[in-house]
Amino acid sequence: MAGSVDILTRCYTGLELREDMLWLHPVIPPELPEVSFSLLYRGRPVQLELTGDALRLYLGPGPAGPLRLHLDDRVHELAPGRLHEFPIRSPATPRTDARAAPAATAPDPEPTPHA
């Protein structure tokens, strides 16, 4: 049973605790419509919901300052008592930024000789 929980929490969400923040790298298989769970991070409740197109985090209210989250090579400051939603790119979705590889083009066909 512990292995199943590990797959859900670490593999599908990419959850890691590093550098004084939560790190997430979500990759959910298309066969799984949603993963959701709660965790206690540094004494604060965090609810996480992952679907094929979005990651939602809810931080419980409290006197603590913002929670730091590393997602998609960016650090986000999440305020307590709010729902935070981030769109996610599925692994099958091509990149649309400047780092994307150029599209392959077919070579021009050989000219057909005319009789």
Side-chain angles (χ1 to χ4, degrees), residues 40-103:
L40 196 60
Y41 178 68
R42 298 192 169 191
R44 31 170 116 177
V46 179
Q47 295 175 342
L48 184 144
E49 178 186 296
L50 175 62
T51 64
D53 60 354
L55 170 68
R56 293 173 195 83
L57 292 166
Y58 176 75
L59 273 56
L67 181 140
R68 294 177 62 221
L69 169 71
H70 186 276
L71 176 69
D72 293 333
D73 297 324
R74 294 188 53 207
V75 175
H76 305 271
E77 301 273 332
L78 307 183
R82 295 192 49 212
L83 176 66
H84 304 272
E85 184 168 326
F86 303 92
I88 60 169
R89 183 176 63 85
S90 78
T93 304
R95 296 183 83 128
T96 57
D97 62 14
R99 295 176 289 176

